[in-house]
Amino acid sequence: MSADEYSQRHFGAATFAAFDPHAAQHRAAAAALHDRLVEIGFGPDRAAALFGLAEIADVRPSRTAYYETFVLPHDAAGAAARFLVLHQPQSETELRGWLGDAGVNLLDGMAAIVPFGELRRSLVSATWFAGRLIFADARAYNRLWPEEPFADYVMPPGGDSIGLQRVAPRTPRRASLDLCCGAGAQTLAAATYSESVVGVDLNPRALRFARFNAAVNRIEHATFVRGNLYDPLGDARFDAILANPPFVPWPDDDTALLYRGGGPRGDDVLGRILEGAVARLDPAGSLTIVGDLADVASLPRRIDAWQGEERRTLLLLQHHHELLDYAESHAAHHKRSAERQAHVVRLLRHFEHAAIGSLDFGYIVQDGTPGPTYVQRTTAMLAGSIAGDVAAWFAHQRRLAAGAIDALPLQLAPGLRLVDVAERAPGAAAESSCYVAPGPGSLHEPSPVSRRAFALLGRIAAGGLRWCDVEGAGARQELDVLLARGIVRVDATG
């Protein structure tokens, strides 16, 4: 049974099936809902802060009673948070008090709020993402839904969505493409820097949510089409491609969840996206994919095989998964311990059968031009956006590839600091360690460097040093490594 079939059977209609994106009255009502939530204090600058968090995606269902009792205010904004995030039921009178008659009538007519005894409960969740209001299916802990998610469930923006938005370069674009767009969060975020943007998804239910969200945010230059990746796009080309595809390694014989299973090794959809990008991505455009990546040591070779050529790629690895922890996280929806443990064993056996030795959560970023693959571990995007530095890193790599840099000034990548630490153990001589430490907005992680490289970096930080000023083969070799990693960059304006 699909989510649409379930909601039609139990509530008489499918969520947002009645929404007509071409009807001015529907678009105006959706936009007014946005304004109402901002007006009562559930806006982009406060909604997550109501929970004491930086992102609504960080709300934990296990802490519902804590939020309810100790954190959320007892005002209109708190009522919105309880209803649209925690999915707590409310009376019709209470709803109309903070949401207004127009808002209640709209969501009621769209089968987004439904009866729950004598009260009402929301079938949808509301999240602010990159300044956009995103409605998606209710989180899994809404008691109106059965235990196991539906195949056509429309996920709210989570940590992977936030990471993708913080990593993908956001320079002005002619045409952006969001593959596996879901509720349209990345599509609508890309609309801020794109003349036009297209979202594609196989799930027709997700596209209904996405079109409603575009209207909510008064975005007119976003188009949503149904299809399998590039299939419905004709010969269109793009200068930015974003993708948050299904990426979980999953047994083929399991129930297919459109938003989860990425094939036996988790890279079936990812491989097709990379293969198709060769013909779709303009040179110097950007392709950014988020996902769990199996066996990253061999991933560069697999990317070359998928694409048939070497394309400059940055692999940003944010988190290494222990396979047991990973399996347990995907078995957590089972209520009984025996069921959870059996599910864990089944997944671990599948990983063994699929020859998955390791899993990392991270990002694949390309710029559409020839070049090697670089692997960088980083935690910077956990605290904020690194999109600007990612774009600058690719611009630097293109400058290196163009050559004739010997006489150009060099500079440290933005936000980097040089740290020289001396440590002395009792009864031992002092030992020093040299590090490059990133600040906010840097794609790098703290990196030890040799004493000679540290001295070079100090000269570069002082200003004016050029490659041709560096003497000695060893020092130049150190500098070339720093340039290739992007720790040192060419100042093309110098």
Side-chain angles (χ1 to χ4, degrees):
M1 181 186 298
S2 69
D4 278 350
E5 291 169 338
Y6 184 90
S7 59
Q8 285 174 333
R9 176 178 298 179
H10 291 272
F11 311 120
T15 307
F16 294 132
F19 179 71
D20 182 356
H22 304 292
Q25 182 179 2
H26 282 197
R27 295 199 308 272
L33 176 62
H34 171 287
D35 296 345
R36 177 70 176 189
L37 291 176
V38 172
E39 178 186 352
I40 65 172
F42 190 79
D45 57 346
R46 190 171 177 234
L50 292 168
F51 294 90
L53 300 169
E55 302 286 350
I56 291 178
D58 295 330
V59 171
R60 298 187 188 180
S62 60
R63 294 183 177 178
T64 295
Y66 165 72
Y67 298 134
E68 172 72 29
T69 306
F70 298 107
V71 180
L72 291 175
H74 292 281
D75 59 9
R82 290 176 174 87
F83 190 72
L84 293 171
V85 180
L86 298 180
H87 306 297
Q88 298 296 301
Q90 295 180 12
S91 69
E92 182 88 13
T93 300
E94 185 178 10
L95 271 179
R96 292 188 180 275
W98 62 265
L99 188 54
D101 290 342
V104 172
N105 293 341
L106 172 66
L107 293 180
D108 184 63
M110 298 297 159
I113 57 177
V114 296
F116 186 73
E118 296 182 355
L119 303 175
R120 307 297 297 278
R121 190 187 285 273
S122 177
L123 279 184
V124 299
S125 61
T127 303
W128 287 94
F129 178 85
R132 309 298 196 188
L133 178 58
I134 304 297
F135 287 94
D137 269 325
R139 288 165 173 80
Y141 49 89
N142 187 330
R143 283 177 285 168
L144 286 173
W145 294 114
E147 178 181 336
E148 181 68 23
F150 297 107
D152 56 348
Y153 177 80
V154 181
M155 293 190 69
D160 47 354
S161 304
I162 294 167
L164 178 58
Q165 193 268 335
R166 290 179 175 176
V167 169
R170 297 198 297 273
T171 54
R173 300 297 186 185
R174 172 190 57 81
S176 293
L177 172 64
D178 178 18
L179 296 172
C180 310
C181 68
Q186 301 296 336
T187 316
L188 303 184
T192 60
Y193 56 83
S194 307
E195 294 178 20
S196 67
V197 57
V198 178
V200 179
D201 205 287
L202 273 174
N203 183 0
R205 192 163 186 273
L207 298 177
R208 294 204 310 265
F209 279 72
R211 291 175 182 128
F212 181 80
N213 289 329
V216 163
N217 293 281
R218 294 184 171 87
I219 294 175
E220 302 288 343
H221 58 295
T223 303
F224 296 95
V225 295
R226 184 186 180 192
N228 189 353
L229 301 179
Y230 305 100
D231 289 352
L233 299 174
D235 58 358
R237 293 180 63 91
F238 302 87
D239 49 4
I241 299 176
L242 306 163
N244 185 356
F247 54 69
V248 178
W250 213 256
D252 279 337
D253 60 349
D254 203 349
T255 301
L257 299 181
L258 296 177
Y259 59 87
R260 181 178 67 184
R265 291 180 55 83
D267 57 11
D268 283 5
V269 182
L270 179 139
R272 297 201 303 272
I273 291 171
L274 288 167
E275 180 182 5
V278 174
R280 297 291 183 167
L281 185 65
D282 287 339
S286 66
L287 165 69
T288 313
I289 308 173
V290 62
D292 291 329
L293 309 173
D295 301 316
V296 294
S298 63
L299 185 54
R301 295 195 299 274
R302 284 180 279 143
I303 291 174
D304 289 347
W306 285 323
Q307 297 191 317
E309 58 185 49
E310 185 183 72
R311 294 166 74 83
R312 182 179 292 108
T313 303
L314 177 63
L315 296 182
L316 280 170
L317 306 180
Q318 182 176 330
H319 175 74
H320 179 71
H321 295 295
E322 295 296 334
L323 294 184
L324 175 58
D325 292 340
Y326 189 84
E328 287 177 339
S329 71
H330 285 283
H333 64 278
H334 290 293
K335 291 183 178 180
R336 297 181 179 179
S337 175
E339 294 174 339
R340 288 195 298 271
Q341 293 187 51
H343 197 91
V344 168
V345 169
R346 182 167 181 264
L347 285 180
L348 290 175
R349 285 176 173 165
H350 168 70
F351 296 159
E352 185 177 60
H353 177 74
I356 296 174
S358 67
L359 281 170
D360 287 86
F361 176 78
Y363 310 85
I364 299 174
V365 192
Q366 295 185 336
D367 70 347
T369 61
T373 295
Y374 300 85
V375 180
Q376 173 72 52
R377 290 198 174 270
T378 182
T379 58
M381 72 280 293
L382 294 175
S385 175
I386 63 169
D389 198 35
V390 171
W393 185 91
F394 276 98
H396 163 72
Q397 296 297 335
R398 291 192 293 272
R399 187 67 189 85
L400 285 183
I405 68 165
D406 293 11
L408 293 176
L410 304 176
Q411 58 187 5
L412 293 185
L416 295 186
R417 296 177 294 110
L418 303 180
V419 181
D420 192 349
V421 179
E423 298 177 319
R424 183 192 297 274
E431 296 183 358
S432 64
S433 302
C434 304
Y435 290 87
V436 177
S442 172
L443 64 84
H444 294 280
E445 66 174 353
S447 303
V449 295
S450 69
R451 176 61 61 181
R452 180 164 56 187
F454 192 81
L456 266 175
L457 291 169
R459 294 173 64 191
I460 292 168
L465 188 71
R466 302 169 299 173
W467 191 91
C468 61
D469 298 326
V470 177
E471 298 179 353
R476 287 188 170 182
Q477 186 176 20
E478 294 262 26
L479 179 56
D480 286 342
V481 171
L482 295 169
L483 282 164
R485 292 177 61 188
I487 291 176
V488 172
R489 298 182 186 173
V490 177
D491 183 0
T493 64

